[in-house]
Amino acid sequence: MDKKLRFNSAAIHGGQQPDKAYGAVMPPIYQTSTYAQTTPGGHQGYEYSRTHNPTRTALERSIASIENAKHGMAFASGMAAIDTVLKLFQPGDEIISTDDLYGGSYRLMTKIFQKYGLKIHFVNMGNVENFKPLLNNKTRLIWIETPTNPMMKVVDIHAITSLGKTHDVLVAVDNTFASPYLQQPLNLGADIVMHSATKYLAGHSDTIIGLLAVNDDDLYEQLAFIQNSGGGVPGPMDCFLALRGIKTLHLRMQRHCENGAAVAIHLQEHPKIEKVYWPGFVNHPNHEVAKKQMKAFGGMLSFVPKGGDLATAKEILEKFQIFTLAESLGGVESLAGHPASMTHASIPKEIREQSGVVDGLIRLSIGIEDVQDLIEDLDQAIA
Ligand SMILES: *Cc1c(COP(=O)(O)O)cnc(C)c1O
C-alpha cells in the first residue's frame, strides 16, 4: 500500500500485506529459528531469527508507519531497546537525560553504562536554558521522556530537538506514556523514538516488548548491528501480540483519554484530595506545551490525598475493588501504583520528595472501563 494513510488506518494497515504463503490477513506466528536455503546464501531475506523474523518484520513495519518513520525495530523489552541505543556511544561520550526519568532507564544509565565510561547528566528539561552549561563537544545524546512518570511533567520536544540540531546532538524520545496516537516525536524533529510497547501499544498487559523508530539509514544500520550482536530480540508470539494491540490503539487511546480527563476532574474537585497531577489542567505548569504537541492528555495521572502520608495512601490502595494495585500501565484495565514504594523505591527519600514523589502519592493508569465504575471505586476507597 503506497498511499499515505491517516493515523487510524495506519494503525490497522500501515506497512502490512497479506502473508505470502496462504494470504493470511494477520501475519502467522513464525515460530522458527532458521530458514531453508536453496544454495549457500540463497534465502528469501530471512536466514536466522535473531537477525530477522517475518512476524517481527510485520510489527517493525507497523511501528514505522504509525511513528511516521522509515525504519522500525522490535526488541525483547523496552529496556533492551534503550540498551541498544546507549551502545551507540564510546567511553567519554556524554548524555543529557531528564531528571524525572523512568526508574529502569535511570538504573541502566547510572549502574551499567556509567561503568563503561558514559557520562550522564540529569537535568530539569522544563527550560532549555538548563542545557546550556552541559552541552559540549562530547555531548552525543539528549534523552527525553514526556509526559514523565509519575509527576506528569511535560517537556517541549520541538524546543529540545532544535537545540540538538544546532549542537549536532542526537535526540531520543521515550514515547511510552503518550503513544504515537498522542504525539509523534520524529515529526517534531527527534532522531529516535523508543517505546515500551509492553504498555499502550500492546495494550493488554500480556507481553513485554520494546520498539524503536528512526529515519536515518546509517543510524538504523548501527542499531541493527548492535541488536543482532547483543541479541535482545522479541519472540514471534510477542510480536504478534503487539501487532494485534496496535490495531486498536486509536480506539483504546480515545477512551483512555476520555476516562482520564473525567477521573482527573473528579479527583480535583474531591474534598479529600490535596493535589492532582494531569497535563490537561490549565494550571499544569506545561499545559500549553502539552496542548501544542499532544492530541489529548492521556490516561495517566497521579494524586495526593489530604495529609499526603503513607498510611492514607496504603488504605486507599488496599480498598480498591476495580483498580488493581500493580506495576505497569497502559493496559485496558485500570491500575494503581504507589511510586514511593514501587517504581521509585530505589531513589533516596529526600531526592524523590524534592521532585514531588511523596509517600502519599498514588499513580493511576486509567483503563477503558465504564468511567462511572472507576469514579465510584475511587470514591469508596478515598472515603
Ligand atoms: C515500562 C517502561 C520502560 C521499560 O520498558 P519494559 O518493556 O518494561 O522493559 C521504559 N520507559 C518507560 C516510560 C516505561 O514506562
Side-chain angles (χ1 to χ4, degrees), residues 83-302:
D83 181 79
T84 297
V85 173
L86 295 176
K87 284 175 178 160
L88 290 167
F89 307 107
Q90 315 278 334
D93 286 351
E94 299 190 13
I95 293 172
I96 303 177
S97 184
T98 171
D99 64 350
D100 199 14
L101 189 65
Y102 172 72
S105 311
Y106 180 81
R107 179 175 57 198
L108 182 66
M109 288 182 189
T110 56
K111 298 279 193 272
I112 310 290
F113 279 93
Q114 252 167 219
K115 196 167 74 181
Y116 294 107
L118 291 190
K119 193 162 171 194
I120 327 268
H121 304 277
F122 296 96
V123 65
N124 179 339
M125 295 196 169
N127 183 348
V128 280
E129 291 301 313
N130 297 345
F131 288 82
K132 302 258 158 83
L134 299 174
L135 281 161
N136 62 53
N137 62 5
K138 297 207 146 120
T139 313
R140 295 285 174 271
L141 176 75
I142 298 174
W143 185 271
I144 303 177
E145 217 180 287
T146 181
T148 65
N149 173 36
M151 299 314 298
M152 308 308 299
K153 287 196 217 161
V154 173
V155 170
D156 188 335
I157 298 173
H158 187 254
I160 295 175
T161 59
S162 307
L163 190 73
K165 284 200 172 47
T166 50
H167 291 80
D168 204 16
V169 171
L170 290 175
V171 176
V173 179
D174 180 338
N175 203 23
T176 301
F177 265 47
S179 91
Y181 174 81
L182 293 180
Q183 74 193 10
Q184 293 163 310
L186 298 180
N187 291 350
L188 300 169
D191 302 286
I192 302 172
V193 180
M194 173 263 154
H195 283 282
S196 169
T198 309
K199 317 292 170 53
Y200 284 109
L201 290 173
H204 294 72
S205 307
D206 53 10
T207 180
I208 299 284
I209 189 160
L211 297 170
L212 293 179
V214 302
N215 277 321
D216 187 78
D217 294 337
D218 185 48
L219 182 59
Y220 168 71
E221 292 301 334
Q222 289 179 53
L223 291 165
F225 180 80
I226 295 168
Q227 182 186 35
N228 190 41
S229 304
V233 299
M237 180 71 189
D238 298 299
C239 294
F240 174 87
L241 288 170
L243 191 60
R244 181 163 75 164
I246 288 172
K247 287 177 193 276
T248 56
L249 177 69
H250 49 298
L251 290 175
R252 289 183 288 108
M253 287 309 295
Q254 199 178 349
R255 183 63 66 85
H256 283 297
C257 293
E258 281 168 23
N259 286 1
V263 169
I265 291 162
H266 180 77
L267 289 175
Q268 173 89 329
E269 290 166 353
H270 198 292
K272 289 198 165 177
I273 301 300
E274 183 150 327
K275 180 103 185 106
V276 184
Y277 299 94
W278 177 65
F281 290 131
V282 287
N283 64 354
H284 181 283
N286 303 111
H287 178 66
E288 289 306 316
V289 177
K291 251 174 47 184
K292 181 179 73 170
Q293 73 189 16
M294 298 171 76
K295 187 187 280 183
F297 304 109
M300 296 299 299
L301 60 98
S302 297

Side-chain angles (χ1 to χ4, degrees), residues 1-61:
M1 205 173 302
D2 294 317
K3 184 179 177 318
K4 178 107 185 66
L5 297 170
R6 292 170 183 83
F7 187 87
N8 300 349
S9 310
I12 295 164
H13 300 290
Q16 306 303 302
Q17 42 195 236
D19 186 64
K20 289 210 181 86
Y22 298 106
V25 167
M26 269 305 273
I29 299 160
Y30 278 97
Q31 194 69 53
T32 186
S33 61
T34 192
Y35 306 83
Q37 308 192 6
T38 46
T39 175
H43 56 79
Q44 301 167 44
Y46 294 93
E47 47 189 336
Y48 189 61
S49 283
R50 173 158 32 73
T51 318
H52 295 295
N53 172 285
T55 319
R56 193 169 119 206
T57 304
L59 172 62
E60 292 175 335
R61 290 195 174 137

